[in-house]
Amino acid sequence: MPTVTSADGTTIAYETTGTGPALILVDGAMCYRDQGPARGLAAALADTHTVYFYDRRGRGDSGNTLPWSPQREIEDLAAVLAAAGGTAYLVGTSSGAVLAADAADRLPGFSRLALYEPPFIVDDTHAPRPDTFLAETEALIAAGDTGGAVKKFLRSVDMPGFAVQILALLPPFRKIKAAAHTLPYDLRILGDTGRGKPLDPARWSGVTAPALVLDGGESPQYMRNAARALSEALPKAEYRTLPGQTHLVKPAALAPVVKEFFS
């Protein structure tokens, strides 16, 4: 398994698959190579691209040098970009889409971006994220209740309570809990974008690459409004909806649109 070393010395594990121009995938909260959509999406993109998918710090086989900061995650992505030859397409899903946009604002080398459903709350179509949410999540993790932290997060994104309880009894929940300590990382990357207020375009004013921001036609309205808002905040962005998709987008639906945009 190849690795790269980030600027602070942290080892970042990654895989590659496919042939063609380099493409890097950025996962969302609690996802890594063996938990979440990255492996399936990488396979769906591998016929046209050399896909790099990596474990964000603190997850899977990557290190977790402290103290954490959003800049460290951007430096991790810079290290993967260097391994890819210094130029790549960039695909981010959920909170990974936010990290991808932030990285594109600060790093040269990303030629195009595809960003799926950043989990912002930009209006009154969803209750704002409580100001205490991050502190409460960190307290659960500090107390060793990683399962409780995961359940709290899932309920905050409107997973029904009965579904959360069923998931907690299933084998995949163990893999999700293994990355629960990184939940505060994603919440800090999101920053103040969960207040029900419009986005600040200045955050991404340095993004020069063309971007495609996508949502699912069956996703909650607040999530779709968030995607549209990001497309309007980015300097060079298009907005598109994938009919029939939800936040858990199927690789077979997302990959063809991404490949078309990158071609």
Side-chain angles (χ1 to χ4, degrees), residues 200-243:
D200 179 6
R203 177 170 173 175
W204 302 287
S205 60
V207 179
T208 59
L212 176 64
V213 185
L214 303 116
D215 62 23
E218 298 300 319
S219 290
Q221 191 62 49
Y222 86 93
M223 198 75 77
R224 301 190 61 196
N225 292 352
R228 184 182 291 277
L230 181 59
S231 73
E232 294 170 351
L234 290 167
K236 301 177 184 177
E238 303 175 24
Y239 166 74
R240 193 177 305 180
T241 295
L242 300 182

mmCIF file of all heavy atoms in Angstrom, residues 200-243:
data_model
loop_
_atom_site.group_PDB
_atom_site.id
_atom_site.type_symbol
_atom_site.label_atom_id
_atom_site.label_comp_id
_atom_site.label_asym_id
_atom_site.label_seq_id
_atom_site.Cartn_x
_atom_site.Cartn_y
_atom_site.Cartn_z
ATOM 1 N N ASP A 200 -20.658 32.664 2.420
ATOM 2 C CA ASP A 200 -19.765 33.787 2.150
ATOM 3 C C ASP A 200 -18.897 33.430 0.943
ATOM 4 O O ASP A 200 -17.976 32.618 1.063
ATOM 5 C CB ASP A 200 -18.880 34.063 3.367
ATOM 6 C CG ASP A 200 -17.905 35.213 3.135
ATOM 7 O OD1 ASP A 200 -18.003 35.870 2.078
ATOM 8 O OD2 ASP A 200 -17.044 35.444 4.014
ATOM 9 N N PRO A 201 -19.153 34.012 -0.229
ATOM 10 C CA PRO A 201 -18.376 33.651 -1.424
ATOM 11 C C PRO A 201 -16.887 33.925 -1.284
ATOM 12 O O PRO A 201 -16.082 33.318 -1.999
ATOM 13 C CB PRO A 201 -18.997 34.525 -2.518
ATOM 14 C CG PRO A 201 -20.343 34.905 -2.011
ATOM 15 C CD PRO A 201 -20.187 35.008 -0.523
ATOM 16 N N ALA A 202 -16.503 34.824 -0.384
ATOM 17 C CA ALA A 202 -15.087 35.143 -0.221
ATOM 18 C C ALA A 202 -14.275 33.911 0.191
ATOM 19 O O ALA A 202 -13.070 33.842 -0.078
ATOM 20 C CB ALA A 202 -14.917 36.249 0.821
ATOM 21 N N ARG A 203 -14.923 32.945 0.820
ATOM 22 C CA ARG A 203 -14.204 31.747 1.264
ATOM 23 C C ARG A 203 -13.581 31.006 0.099
ATOM 24 O O ARG A 203 -12.518 30.385 0.261
ATOM 25 C CB ARG A 203 -15.168 30.840 2.035
ATOM 26 C CG ARG A 203 -14.545 29.519 2.494
ATOM 27 C CD ARG A 203 -15.457 28.786 3.448
ATOM 28 N NE ARG A 203 -14.960 27.456 3.769
ATOM 29 C CZ ARG A 203 -15.510 26.631 4.657
ATOM 30 N NH1 ARG A 203 -16.596 27.012 5.320
ATOM 31 N NH2 ARG A 203 -15.008 25.428 4.893
ATOM 32 N N TRP A 204 -14.213 31.058 -1.076
ATOM 33 C CA TRP A 204 -13.725 30.300 -2.237
ATOM 34 C C TRP A 204 -13.389 31.214 -3.413
ATOM 35 O O TRP A 204 -13.369 30.761 -4.553
ATOM 36 C CB TRP A 204 -14.771 29.270 -2.642
ATOM 37 C CG TRP A 204 -15.108 28.333 -1.527
ATOM 38 C CD1 TRP A 204 -14.342 27.319 -1.031
ATOM 39 C CD2 TRP A 204 -16.301 28.329 -0.737
ATOM 40 N NE1 TRP A 204 -14.979 26.687 0.007
ATOM 41 C CE2 TRP A 204 -16.186 27.285 0.218
ATOM 42 C CE3 TRP A 204 -17.465 29.102 -0.745
ATOM 43 C CZ2 TRP A 204 -17.184 27.004 1.147
ATOM 44 C CZ3 TRP A 204 -18.455 28.831 0.194
ATOM 45 C CH2 TRP A 204 -18.309 27.782 1.116
ATOM 46 N N SER A 205 -13.107 32.469 -3.136
ATOM 47 C CA SER A 205 -12.868 33.431 -4.224
ATOM 48 C C SER A 205 -11.610 33.117 -5.017
ATOM 49 O O SER A 205 -11.458 33.569 -6.149
ATOM 50 C CB SER A 205 -12.780 34.853 -3.664
ATOM 51 O OG SER A 205 -11.713 34.961 -2.726
ATOM 52 N N GLY A 206 -10.694 32.328 -4.429
ATOM 53 C CA GLY A 206 -9.463 31.993 -5.127
ATOM 54 C C GLY A 206 -9.536 30.742 -5.976
ATOM 55 O O GLY A 206 -8.529 30.333 -6.572
ATOM 56 N N VAL A 207 -10.705 30.112 -6.062
ATOM 57 C CA VAL A 207 -10.848 28.901 -6.884
ATOM 58 C C VAL A 207 -10.917 29.308 -8.351
ATOM 59 O O VAL A 207 -11.881 29.957 -8.786
ATOM 60 C CB VAL A 207 -12.107 28.105 -6.489
ATOM 61 C CG1 VAL A 207 -12.241 26.867 -7.385
ATOM 62 C CG2 VAL A 207 -12.052 27.691 -5.030
ATOM 63 N N THR A 208 -9.916 28.943 -9.120
ATOM 64 C CA THR A 208 -9.880 29.303 -10.533
ATOM 65 C C THR A 208 -10.345 28.170 -11.434
ATOM 66 O O THR A 208 -10.648 28.404 -12.607
ATOM 67 C CB THR A 208 -8.459 29.707 -10.941
ATOM 68 O OG1 THR A 208 -7.561 28.611 -10.688
ATOM 69 C CG2 THR A 208 -7.993 30.921 -10.152
ATOM 70 N N ALA A 209 -10.418 26.952 -10.920
ATOM 71 C CA ALA A 209 -10.807 25.804 -11.736
ATOM 72 C C ALA A 209 -12.318 25.782 -11.966
ATOM 73 O O ALA A 209 -13.093 26.108 -11.059
ATOM 74 C CB ALA A 209 -10.381 24.509 -11.051
ATOM 75 N N PRO A 210 -12.754 25.391 -13.143
ATOM 76 C CA PRO A 210 -14.195 25.179 -13.359
ATOM 77 C C PRO A 210 -14.712 24.076 -12.434
ATOM 78 O O PRO A 210 -14.005 23.106 -12.154
ATOM 79 C CB PRO A 210 -14.277 24.746 -14.827
ATOM 80 C CG PRO A 210 -13.008 25.222 -15.448
ATOM 81 C CD PRO A 210 -11.971 25.154 -14.364
ATOM 82 N N ALA A 211 -15.933 24.241 -11.958
ATOM 83 C CA ALA A 211 -16.499 23.282 -11.008
ATOM 84 C C ALA A 211 -17.902 22.876 -11.433
ATOM 85 O O ALA A 211 -18.633 23.658 -12.044
ATOM 86 C CB ALA A 211 -16.538 23.888 -9.608
ATOM 87 N N LEU A 212 -18.251 21.658 -11.090
ATOM 88 C CA LEU A 212 -19.609 21.147 -11.255
ATOM 89 C C LEU A 212 -20.109 20.770 -9.872
ATOM 90 O O LEU A 212 -19.519 19.932 -9.189
ATOM 91 C CB LEU A 212 -19.620 19.929 -12.171
ATOM 92 C CG LEU A 212 -20.973 19.237 -12.360
ATOM 93 C CD1 LEU A 212 -21.969 20.171 -13.041
ATOM 94 C CD2 LEU A 212 -20.815 17.949 -13.164
ATOM 95 N N VAL A 213 -21.182 21.410 -9.433
ATOM 96 C CA VAL A 213 -21.779 21.108 -8.132
ATOM 97 C C VAL A 213 -23.077 20.351 -8.377
ATOM 98 O O VAL A 213 -23.935 20.803 -9.151
ATOM 99 C CB VAL A 213 -22.038 22.390 -7.319
ATOM 100 C CG1 VAL A 213 -22.548 22.033 -5.932
ATOM 101 C CG2 VAL A 213 -20.775 23.238 -7.222
ATOM 102 N N LEU A 214 -23.211 19.203 -7.720
ATOM 103 C CA LEU A 214 -24.330 18.308 -7.985
ATOM 104 C C LEU A 214 -25.121 18.028 -6.716
ATOM 105 O O LEU A 214 -24.599 18.089 -5.606
ATOM 106 C CB LEU A 214 -23.827 16.982 -8.549
ATOM 107 C CG LEU A 214 -22.986 17.043 -9.817
ATOM 108 C CD1 LEU A 214 -21.583 16.545 -9.538
ATOM 109 C CD2 LEU A 214 -23.613 16.235 -10.929
ATOM 110 N N ASP A 215 -26.390 17.698 -6.928
ATOM 111 C CA ASP A 215 -27.216 17.176 -5.843
ATOM 112 C C ASP A 215 -28.094 16.068 -6.390
ATOM 113 O O ASP A 215 -28.108 15.796 -7.592
ATOM 114 C CB ASP A 215 -28.036 18.282 -5.172
ATOM 115 C CG ASP A 215 -29.023 18.965 -6.110
ATOM 116 O OD1 ASP A 215 -29.421 18.353 -7.133
ATOM 117 O OD2 ASP A 215 -29.402 20.113 -5.841
ATOM 118 N N GLY A 216 -28.821 15.405 -5.495
ATOM 119 C CA GLY A 216 -29.734 14.340 -5.885
ATOM 120 C C GLY A 216 -31.167 14.827 -5.902
ATOM 121 O O GLY A 216 -31.589 15.567 -4.994
ATOM 122 N N GLY A 217 -31.910 14.420 -6.889
ATOM 123 C CA GLY A 217 -33.290 14.861 -7.015
ATOM 124 C C GLY A 217 -34.188 14.398 -5.890
ATOM 125 O O GLY A 217 -35.253 14.989 -5.659
ATOM 126 N N GLU A 218 -33.789 13.344 -5.152
ATOM 127 C CA GLU A 218 -34.578 12.848 -4.029
ATOM 128 C C GLU A 218 -33.994 13.271 -2.680
ATOM 129 O O GLU A 218 -34.462 12.815 -1.639
ATOM 130 C CB GLU A 218 -34.662 11.319 -4.096
ATOM 131 C CG GLU A 218 -35.348 10.787 -5.350
ATOM 132 C CD GLU A 218 -36.778 11.286 -5.480
ATOM 133 O OE1 GLU A 218 -37.479 11.331 -4.460
ATOM 134 O OE2 GLU A 218 -37.190 11.620 -6.608
ATOM 135 N N SER A 219 -32.986 14.119 -2.694
ATOM 136 C CA SER A 219 -32.394 14.599 -1.449
ATOM 137 C C SER A 219 -33.291 15.643 -0.798
ATOM 138 O O SER A 219 -34.118 16.273 -1.467
ATOM 139 C CB SER A 219 -31.015 15.201 -1.721
ATOM 140 O OG SER A 219 -30.089 14.195 -2.071
ATOM 141 N N PRO A 220 -33.121 15.882 0.508
ATOM 142 C CA PRO A 220 -33.907 16.914 1.182
ATOM 143 C C PRO A 220 -33.684 18.280 0.535
ATOM 144 O O PRO A 220 -32.605 18.563 0.011
ATOM 145 C CB PRO A 220 -33.368 16.883 2.619
ATOM 146 C CG PRO A 220 -32.750 15.555 2.780
ATOM 147 C CD PRO A 220 -32.224 15.170 1.429
ATOM 148 N N GLN A 221 -34.696 19.118 0.609
ATOM 149 C CA GLN A 221 -34.617 20.418 -0.042
ATOM 150 C C GLN A 221 -33.459 21.253 0.486
ATOM 151 O O GLN A 221 -32.793 21.958 -0.276
ATOM 152 C CB GLN A 221 -35.931 21.184 0.139
ATOM 153 C CG GLN A 221 -36.022 22.434 -0.729
ATOM 154 C CD GLN A 221 -35.962 22.110 -2.216
ATOM 155 O OE1 GLN A 221 -36.683 21.238 -2.697
ATOM 156 N NE2 GLN A 221 -35.090 22.789 -2.947
ATOM 157 N N TYR A 222 -33.188 21.174 1.787
ATOM 158 C CA TYR A 222 -32.096 21.990 2.331
ATOM 159 C C TYR A 222 -30.753 21.593 1.732
ATOM 160 O O TYR A 222 -29.871 22.437 1.496
ATOM 161 C CB TYR A 222 -32.063 21.906 3.862
ATOM 162 C CG TYR A 222 -31.294 20.748 4.448
ATOM 163 C CD1 TYR A 222 -29.956 20.874 4.797
ATOM 164 C CD2 TYR A 222 -31.919 19.513 4.674
ATOM 165 C CE1 TYR A 222 -29.260 19.814 5.357
ATOM 166 C CE2 TYR A 222 -31.228 18.459 5.235
ATOM 167 C CZ TYR A 222 -29.901 18.606 5.569
ATOM 168 O OH TYR A 222 -29.207 17.551 6.125
ATOM 169 N N MET A 223 -30.581 20.289 1.451
ATOM 170 C CA MET A 223 -29.336 19.816 0.876
ATOM 171 C C MET A 223 -29.209 20.285 -0.570
ATOM 172 O O MET A 223 -28.127 20.682 -1.025
ATOM 173 C CB MET A 223 -29.293 18.289 0.947
ATOM 174 C CG MET A 223 -27.911 17.701 0.787
ATOM 175 S SD MET A 223 -26.877 17.886 2.248
ATOM 176 C CE MET A 223 -27.534 16.604 3.300
ATOM 177 N N ARG A 224 -30.314 20.279 -1.283
ATOM 178 C CA ARG A 224 -30.291 20.749 -2.667
ATOM 179 C C ARG A 224 -30.048 22.256 -2.719
ATOM 180 O O ARG A 224 -29.310 22.753 -3.581
ATOM 181 C CB ARG A 224 -31.596 20.379 -3.359
ATOM 182 C CG ARG A 224 -31.859 18.860 -3.377
ATOM 183 C CD ARG A 224 -33.018 18.499 -4.263
ATOM 184 N NE ARG A 224 -32.742 18.910 -5.631
ATOM 185 C CZ ARG A 224 -33.664 19.007 -6.588
ATOM 186 N NH1 ARG A 224 -34.922 18.751 -6.311
ATOM 187 N NH2 ARG A 224 -33.327 19.379 -7.794
ATOM 188 N N ASN A 225 -30.630 22.975 -1.787
ATOM 189 C CA ASN A 225 -30.394 24.418 -1.734
ATOM 190 C C ASN A 225 -28.930 24.716 -1.420
ATOM 191 O O ASN A 225 -28.366 25.699 -1.912
ATOM 192 C CB ASN A 225 -31.298 25.063 -0.692
ATOM 193 C CG ASN A 225 -32.770 25.015 -1.081
ATOM 194 O OD1 ASN A 225 -33.122 24.635 -2.194
ATOM 195 N ND2 ASN A 225 -33.633 25.399 -0.166
ATOM 196 N N ALA A 226 -28.326 23.864 -0.603
ATOM 197 C CA ALA A 226 -26.911 24.044 -0.268
ATOM 198 C C ALA A 226 -26.031 23.860 -1.497
ATOM 199 O O ALA A 226 -25.075 24.619 -1.707
ATOM 200 C CB ALA A 226 -26.513 23.057 0.826
ATOM 201 N N ALA A 227 -26.333 22.846 -2.292
ATOM 202 C CA ALA A 227 -25.538 22.617 -3.500
ATOM 203 C C ALA A 227 -25.662 23.788 -4.467
ATOM 204 O O ALA A 227 -24.662 24.263 -5.028
ATOM 205 C CB ALA A 227 -25.980 21.317 -4.175
ATOM 206 N N ARG A 228 -26.866 24.264 -4.657
ATOM 207 C CA ARG A 228 -27.052 25.408 -5.540
ATOM 208 C C ARG A 228 -26.299 26.631 -5.002
ATOM 209 O O ARG A 228 -25.676 27.378 -5.760
ATOM 210 C CB ARG A 228 -28.535 25.737 -5.714
ATOM 211 C CG ARG A 228 -28.789 26.863 -6.709
ATOM 212 C CD ARG A 228 -30.260 27.192 -6.808
ATOM 213 N NE ARG A 228 -31.025 26.131 -7.440
ATOM 214 C CZ ARG A 228 -31.135 25.991 -8.757
ATOM 215 N NH1 ARG A 228 -30.516 26.828 -9.580
ATOM 216 N NH2 ARG A 228 -31.872 25.007 -9.253
ATOM 217 N N ALA A 229 -26.349 26.816 -3.679
ATOM 218 C CA ALA A 229 -25.665 27.963 -3.082
ATOM 219 C C ALA A 229 -24.160 27.893 -3.303
ATOM 220 O O ALA A 229 -23.511 28.913 -3.576
ATOM 221 C CB ALA A 229 -25.987 28.037 -1.589
ATOM 222 N N LEU A 230 -23.576 26.690 -3.189
ATOM 223 C CA LEU A 230 -22.143 26.570 -3.437
ATOM 224 C C LEU A 230 -21.821 26.859 -4.896
ATOM 225 O O LEU A 230 -20.812 27.505 -5.199
ATOM 226 C CB LEU A 230 -21.643 25.182 -3.048
ATOM 227 C CG LEU A 230 -20.139 24.959 -3.252
ATOM 228 C CD1 LEU A 230 -19.318 25.957 -2.442
ATOM 229 C CD2 LEU A 230 -19.748 23.529 -2.900
ATOM 230 N N SER A 231 -22.680 26.396 -5.804
ATOM 231 C CA SER A 231 -22.433 26.669 -7.225
ATOM 232 C C SER A 231 -22.446 28.166 -7.502
ATOM 233 O O SER A 231 -21.710 28.663 -8.369
ATOM 234 C CB SER A 231 -23.467 25.952 -8.098
ATOM 235 O OG SER A 231 -24.738 26.568 -8.026
ATOM 236 N N GLU A 232 -23.261 28.904 -6.771
ATOM 237 C CA GLU A 232 -23.329 30.349 -6.951
ATOM 238 C C GLU A 232 -22.167 31.061 -6.259
ATOM 239 O O GLU A 232 -21.783 32.165 -6.673
ATOM 240 C CB GLU A 232 -24.662 30.867 -6.420
ATOM 241 C CG GLU A 232 -25.861 30.369 -7.228
ATOM 242 C CD GLU A 232 -27.199 30.675 -6.575
ATOM 243 O OE1 GLU A 232 -27.197 31.124 -5.406
ATOM 244 O OE2 GLU A 232 -28.240 30.451 -7.227
ATOM 245 N N ALA A 233 -21.596 30.436 -5.226
ATOM 246 C CA ALA A 233 -20.481 31.050 -4.501
ATOM 247 C C ALA A 233 -19.144 30.841 -5.207
ATOM 248 O O ALA A 233 -18.239 31.678 -5.075
ATOM 249 C CB ALA A 233 -20.410 30.491 -3.088
ATOM 250 N N LEU A 234 -19.008 29.739 -5.947
ATOM 251 C CA LEU A 234 -17.759 29.470 -6.654
ATOM 252 C C LEU A 234 -17.662 30.338 -7.904
ATOM 253 O O LEU A 234 -18.670 30.572 -8.589
ATOM 254 C CB LEU A 234 -17.681 27.996 -7.039
ATOM 255 C CG LEU A 234 -17.483 27.017 -5.883
ATOM 256 C CD1 LEU A 234 -17.742 25.584 -6.346
ATOM 257 C CD2 LEU A 234 -16.074 27.137 -5.310
ATOM 258 N N PRO A 235 -16.468 30.824 -8.252
ATOM 259 C CA PRO A 235 -16.329 31.743 -9.389
ATOM 260 C C PRO A 235 -16.730 31.160 -10.738
ATOM 261 O O PRO A 235 -17.266 31.870 -11.585
ATOM 262 C CB PRO A 235 -14.835 32.104 -9.362
ATOM 263 C CG PRO A 235 -14.420 31.912 -7.937
ATOM 264 C CD PRO A 235 -15.222 30.736 -7.462
ATOM 265 N N LYS A 236 -16.473 29.858 -10.959
ATOM 266 C CA LYS A 236 -16.735 29.244 -12.269
ATOM 267 C C LYS A 236 -17.420 27.897 -12.056
ATOM 268 O O LYS A 236 -16.790 26.847 -12.146
ATOM 269 C CB LYS A 236 -15.439 29.027 -13.047
ATOM 270 C CG LYS A 236 -14.627 30.269 -13.313
ATOM 271 C CD LYS A 236 -13.334 29.899 -14.021
ATOM 272 C CE LYS A 236 -12.433 31.102 -14.238
ATOM 273 N NZ LYS A 236 -11.143 30.717 -14.872
ATOM 274 N N ALA A 237 -18.705 27.925 -11.789
ATOM 275 C CA ALA A 237 -19.381 26.675 -11.430
ATOM 276 C C ALA A 237 -20.682 26.492 -12.175
ATOM 277 O O ALA A 237 -21.380 27.456 -12.496
ATOM 278 C CB ALA A 237 -19.630 26.614 -9.927
ATOM 279 N N GLU A 238 -20.986 25.225 -12.444
ATOM 280 C CA GLU A 238 -22.272 24.798 -12.968
ATOM 281 C C GLU A 238 -22.993 24.019 -11.871
ATOM 282 O O GLU A 238 -22.368 23.480 -10.961
ATOM 283 C CB GLU A 238 -22.098 23.891 -14.190
ATOM 284 C CG GLU A 238 -21.312 24.497 -15.330
ATOM 285 C CD GLU A 238 -21.080 23.478 -16.446
ATOM 286 O OE1 GLU A 238 -21.878 22.514 -16.554
ATOM 287 O OE2 GLU A 238 -20.090 23.626 -17.177
ATOM 288 N N TYR A 239 -24.300 23.957 -12.000
ATOM 289 C CA TYR A 239 -25.123 23.225 -11.024
ATOM 290 C C TYR A 239 -25.971 22.214 -11.784
ATOM 291 O O TYR A 239 -26.538 22.526 -12.841
ATOM 292 C CB TYR A 239 -26.017 24.205 -10.269
ATOM 293 C CG TYR A 239 -27.145 23.570 -9.483
ATOM 294 C CD1 TYR A 239 -26.906 22.884 -8.297
ATOM 295 C CD2 TYR A 239 -28.453 23.681 -9.930
ATOM 296 C CE1 TYR A 239 -27.946 22.318 -7.579
ATOM 297 C CE2 TYR A 239 -29.503 23.117 -9.216
ATOM 298 C CZ TYR A 239 -29.241 22.433 -8.039
ATOM 299 O OH TYR A 239 -30.269 21.875 -7.340
ATOM 300 N N ARG A 240 -26.032 20.986 -11.241
ATOM 301 C CA ARG A 240 -26.802 19.942 -11.921
ATOM 302 C C ARG A 240 -27.416 19.005 -10.878
ATOM 303 O O ARG A 240 -26.827 18.757 -9.819
ATOM 304 C CB ARG A 240 -25.902 19.142 -12.868
ATOM 305 C CG ARG A 240 -26.669 18.249 -13.838
ATOM 306 C CD ARG A 240 -25.734 17.537 -14.793
ATOM 307 N NE ARG A 240 -24.856 18.458 -15.523
ATOM 308 C CZ ARG A 240 -23.944 18.050 -16.418
ATOM 309 N NH1 ARG A 240 -23.793 16.762 -16.670
ATOM 310 N NH2 ARG A 240 -23.198 18.937 -17.032
ATOM 311 N N THR A 241 -28.584 18.490 -11.196
ATOM 312 C CA THR A 241 -29.275 17.541 -10.325
ATOM 313 C C THR A 241 -29.273 16.160 -10.963
ATOM 314 O O THR A 241 -29.532 16.022 -12.169
ATOM 315 C CB THR A 241 -30.724 18.003 -10.078
ATOM 316 O OG1 THR A 241 -30.704 19.236 -9.356
ATOM 317 C CG2 THR A 241 -31.498 16.971 -9.283
ATOM 318 N N LEU A 242 -28.991 15.143 -10.161
ATOM 319 C CA LEU A 242 -29.055 13.760 -10.624
ATOM 320 C C LEU A 242 -30.412 13.184 -10.233
ATOM 321 O O LEU A 242 -30.666 12.948 -9.043
ATOM 322 C CB LEU A 242 -27.930 12.930 -9.998
ATOM 323 C CG LEU A 242 -26.502 13.396 -10.296
ATOM 324 C CD1 LEU A 242 -25.496 12.446 -9.647
ATOM 325 C CD2 LEU A 242 -26.260 13.481 -11.793
ATOM 326 N N PRO A 243 -31.298 12.960 -11.189
ATOM 327 C CA PRO A 243 -32.644 12.474 -10.863
ATOM 328 C C PRO A 243 -32.598 11.146 -10.100
ATOM 329 O O PRO A 243 -31.791 10.260 -10.395
ATOM 330 C CB PRO A 243 -33.296 12.293 -12.240
ATOM 331 C CG PRO A 243 -32.533 13.204 -13.152
ATOM 332 C CD PRO A 243 -31.116 13.178 -12.638
#
